[in-house]
Amino acid sequence: MKPSDLVLPGILLVSAGLYVWYYGWLVLAQQMINGLQRGSMYALIALGYTLVYGIIRLINFAHGDVFMMGVYFACFAGNFLLSRGVGFAFWIAMIVAMIGCLLINVLIEAVAYRPLRDRPRLTMLITAIGVSLFLENFLSLDPHQLPFPFNHLVFGPQFRPFPTLIKERVYPLAAGLTISNIKIIDLATALMLMVVLEYIVKRTKMGKAMRAVSYDMDVARLMGIHVDRIITFTFALGGALAGCAGILYGLTYGVLQSPCLGMWPGIVAFVAAVVGGIGNIPGAMLGGFLMGIVETLAISVNSNLGYGVTFLILILVLLVRPKGLLGSPYMEKI
Amino acid sequence: MMLKVCNLDLRYQQIQAVKGVSFEVSKAEIVTLLGANGAGKSSILRAISGLIRPFGGEIFFEGINITRLPCHEIVKLGIVHVPEGRGIFANLKVIENLEMGSFLRRDKKAVRQDIERVFTLFPILRQRQNQYGATLSGGEQQMLAIARALVAGGKLILLDEPSLGLAPRVVESIFQIIARINREGLSILLVEQNAHQALEIAHRGYILETGSIVLADTASNLAKNQSIRKAYLGE
Ligand SMILES: Nc1ncnc2c1ncn2[C@@H]1O[C@H](COP(=O)(O)OP(=O)(O)O)[C@@H](O)[C@H]1O
Ligand SMILES: [Mg+2]
């Protein structure tokens, strides 16, 4: 334990103390509950960053946009299912969003990243930014100038309402605190997927092969591991988690703002992955919840404070503990 | 003929690492490839197992041209490569390392028997089976690397400097085990700088100098050869 390791916990504790002094314990508790909800989405997205970084050392800057596609898939699937009066619409839409994002992420890897695997690392990083801009701008195309059928549904930068897949109900807890069914669903879904992910990575043959590839790709090849398939599998996992975050986002906020809605959550989740220790799976979960809580608290003080605080934490972590709270298994610079 | 390497040419960008190398390994034979640091030994093994693509030449395994096959298919045919520096997955447990060694095998029962067999061969690995690879000593890692190759169920094992960085006593026991698994029927291509130990257990040997084979003979003849004794046995 170095003295610098105390900087971040210290700052967080002092800020929480000031918050309590100003707003009181109850407000802090309520905002923490709200923050856990936001954090569940960030954690799911952050896992995608960390999984991909672990396997090919790429910060996949398009990941926030894969999450955005998840909101789209969920929105369209949800509208369709509701219009047909299908039961369990939320859960079906969740599966659609997860599979949709899984396929998109696998496609992005195969088309954009795989051909660049032997190039300098920066090439892939810049390509990831390119993929991100492509997705955002492609979906923002003016629908009136496109000949496709249904183009008015899919394309265009405009705001869309997200279908009410589950009606929000608010339940009182002790001392005036409240929780809602949607908060419970967000948190429970995220936690459940994390357990599933932990099981896949720790216990299954594919998961063990993922860890082997992440440690040494060439030696993994010598074991007979088909490395390309493991990388595809990793992108599939990350995509599915982002898709789930996408439907939770739609459910929680009830809107699909624009094709750029994934940008900010993508950035926060990236910061969360770095804060937890990039490449470290429990680290991404912890970082996600932490960033969710911190951002919620900051926004409750002033609605513009979230942005600054997020980057402040990134800078602080990179300054005082670059390998993240739980430690990154990788020594190289990010 | 089990392995046949013909006229192998290996390059890294412009640098020629290996040129015109040809050699063979027969069934149940230990063949050693001796050479100083940088002679091109590891590159040859990496080309055989498919990690690098040859610039020229051909490699045949049991009559099949494997020159352009991907790694996992070469492993499936029965070539197992234990890389220089052992290549243990430090972030996986000993038992998980062994599972990775048997990654392509579907015969679960036989795999379990093979794991049991390597645990009898290396009792220390049984004790350490739930420890992470990172916690093993150098000697234990080398044992694990060989054990992991054995559970792959291959026919030919490529060993890249198994004596590297190990104490003489450990080297002795590792080489005895190599001789033993060979007597049980496996072919071995042993790359070494430690010519003394290698020639003791090998049947035949090749001397590699800056990317070319300069001498090929039986191990006993090589051990007697004056110039070899000077260059590699420190006499
Ligand atoms: N990845 C690489 N890139 C460029 N040159 C390499 C690479 N690997 C090996 N070489 C060069 O190829 C030659 C043979 O290396 P190597 O096969 O490792 O020899 P050995 O195993 O006999 O020590 C050396 O000159 C080495 O510098
Ligand atoms: Mg070498």
Side-chain angles (χ1 to χ4, degrees):
Chain A
M1 195 93 171
K2 290 176 300 181
S4 63
D5 289 352
L6 297 173
V7 171
L8 198 68
I11 291 178
L12 288 178
L13 273 179
V14 169
S15 322
L18 285 172
Y19 194 91
V20 170
W21 171 70
Y22 200 80
Y23 296 99
W25 285 104
L26 279 180
V27 179
L28 179 76
Q30 184 63 55
Q31 293 299 344
M32 298 262 286
I33 294 174
N34 301 348
L36 281 177
Q37 175 181 31
R38 195 184 287 260
S40 6
M41 291 167 239
Y42 289 158
L44 289 176
I45 308 172
L47 283 169
Y49 278 105
T50 241
L51 286 169
V52 165
Y53 187 85
I55 211 107
I56 53 171
R57 308 292 184 273
L58 164 73
I59 305 283
N60 181 10
F61 277 116
H63 197 62
D65 301 286
V66 174
F67 154 78
M68 170 273 288
M69 301 284 291
V71 188
Y72 270 74
F73 285 125
C75 183
F76 296 134
N79 276 329
F80 178 79
L81 292 165
L82 286 188
S83 71
R84 297 292 163 96
V86 180
F88 300 104
F90 172 69
W91 302 105
I92 298 174
M94 177 184 286
I95 290 168
V96 171
M98 287 174 75
I99 293 176
C101 287
L102 179 157
L103 294 176
I104 294 272
N105 218 23
V106 166
L107 186 74
I108 291 174
E109 191 273 329
V111 173
Y113 303 153
R114 183 167 303 178
L116 303 174
R117 201 149 329 126
D118 296 329
R119 305 287 178 82
R121 198 94 55 78
L122 191 60
T123 314
M124 231 199 265
L125 196 71
I126 291 169
T127 307
I129 296 172
V131 172
S132 164
L133 292 174
F134 169 77
L135 288 175
E136 288 169 13
N137 289 290
F138 182 65
L139 285 170
S140 303
L141 284 178
D142 183 350
H144 304 294
Q145 299 185 359
L146 291 169
F148 306 147
F150 305 118
N151 52 12
H152 57 289
L153 266 179
V154 180
F155 292 94
Q158 76 278 18
F159 168 104
R160 297 169 173 82
F162 193 87
T164 313
L165 292 168
I166 289 178
K167 251 200 150 53
E168 180 158 22
R169 282 200 213 93
V170 179
Y171 308 106
L173 292 169
L177 298 179
T178 64
I179 194 161
S180 72
N181 55 345
I182 289 183
K183 288 195 175 78
I184 295 172
I185 288 173
D186 285 354
L187 194 59
T189 310
L191 290 176
M192 206 187 62
L193 284 181
M194 288 173 197
V195 172
V196 171
L197 181 71
E198 188 68 16
Y199 176 82
I200 291 175
V201 171
K202 280 280 153 66
R203 304 253 176 247
T204 66
K205 203 168 168 184
M206 279 308 252
K208 289 170 193 171
M210 273 171 72
R211 285 186 284 147
V213 172
S214 131
Y215 187 77
D216 191 328
M217 204 178 271
D218 272 353
V219 178
R221 285 205 174 92
L222 295 181
M223 304 290 110
I225 295 172
H226 198 324
V227 167
D228 283 351
R229 254 182 232 160
I230 302 296
I231 293 173
T232 300
F233 180 72
T234 308
F235 274 83
L237 281 180
L241 294 173
C244 181
I247 191 168
L248 297 183
Y249 179 94
L251 183 73
T252 304
Y253 301 110
V255 295
L256 190 164
Q257 290 98 331
S258 81
C260 297
L261 71 87
M263 208 189 261
W264 181 244
I267 290 171
V268 184
F270 159 66
V271 174
V274 174
V275 166
I278 189 99
N280 183 323
I281 290 175
M285 302 179 193
L286 176 76
F289 285 117
L290 185 73
M291 292 312 294
I293 290 173
V294 166
E295 197 195 24
T296 306
L297 290 176
I299 289 174
S300 74
V301 174
N302 177 310
S303 63
N304 287 321
L305 207 53
Y307 303 101
V309 169
T310 299
F311 286 119
L312 191 67
I313 290 198
L314 177 64
I315 292 166
L316 276 175
V317 166
L318 290 179
L319 279 178
V320 301
R321 200 176 158 82
K323 66 182 159 66
L325 294 179
L326 299 192
S328 168
Y330 312 104
M331 292 301 130
E332 320 102 284
K333 293 237 168 63
I334 293 160
Chain B
M1 196 55 49
M2 187 150 232
L3 180 77
K4 197 171 156 77
V5 173
C6 308
N7 234 336
L8 192 66
D9 247 27
L10 302 175
R11 292 186 190 177
Y12 294 99
Q13 282 91 40
Q14 314 303 338
I15 311 155
Q16 180 117 30
V18 167
K19 52 179 177 291
V21 162
S22 303
F23 64 93
E24 299 167 349
V25 182
S26 325
K27 202 161 164 26
E29 200 181 22
I30 301 185
V31 171
T32 182
L33 203 56
L34 301 171
N37 217 347
K41 307 179 297 294
S42 301
S43 302
I44 292 175
L45 293 195
R46 291 162 63 79
I48 296 171
S49 58
L51 282 178
I52 53 174
R53 293 277 152 244
F55 185 78
E58 315 250 78
I59 304 167
F60 295 90
F61 181 64
E62 295 189 316
I64 302 170
N65 188 340
I66 60 167
T67 321
R68 320 236 157 247
L69 289 185
C71 276
H72 57 272
E73 293 195 9
I74 293 174
V75 175
K76 207 181 271 170
L77 290 174
I79 299 183
V80 194
H81 178 174
V82 179
E84 186 175 331
R86 313 181 240 291
I88 295 307
F89 299 116
N91 60 339
L92 264 62
K93 293 175 181 164
V94 167
I95 186 76
E96 291 171 333
N97 268 279
L98 293 175
E99 282 174 57
M100 290 300 105
S102 59
F103 190 79
L104 288 175
R105 293 179 65 180
R106 297 276 170 267
D107 45 345
K108 282 204 178 129
K109 247 206 211 116
V111 170
R112 223 165 306 135
Q113 278 170 4
D114 277 359
I115 290 183
E116 201 48 43
R117 194 167 68 97
V118 299
F119 279 163
T120 2
L121 209 55
F122 304 104
I124 188 79
L125 294 183
R126 189 195 300 277
Q127 289 173 36
R128 303 242 189 276
Q129 58 178 304
N130 286 315
Q131 280 177 227
Y132 282 94
T135 66
L136 300 185
S137 71
E140 289 163 354
Q141 287 195 0
Q142 189 61 59
M143 291 179 201
L144 177 55
I146 293 175
R148 193 173 62 178
L150 290 177
V151 299
K155 303 168 193 160
L156 168 68
I157 298 193
L158 317 176
L159 289 169
D160 198 343
E161 300 201 36
S163 71
L164 194 72
L166 299 184
R169 269 228 328 271
V170 185
V171 174
E172 186 77 34
S173 68
I174 296 266
F175 274 68
Q176 268 164 25
I177 287 191
I178 295 172
R180 178 168 159 193
I181 57 181
N182 166 254
R183 282 196 300 276
E184 289 170 11
L186 279 173
S187 311
I188 288 165
L189 176 57
L190 173 63
V191 154
E192 265 299 346
Q193 292 192 56
N194 187 341
H196 191 67
Q197 297 271 4
L199 288 174
E200 221 160 78
I201 61 166
H203 301 113
R204 292 189 300 115
Y206 295 86
I207 310 292
L208 195 68
E209 265 173 29
T210 53
S212 306
I213 288 179
V214 293
L215 201 55
D217 210 334
T218 62
S220 51
N221 281 348
L222 287 175
K224 277 182 263 167
N225 186 312
Q226 281 307 321
S227 58
I228 308 275
R229 295 183 80 90
K230 275 219 181 72
Y232 297 99
L233 303 177
E235 286 177 16

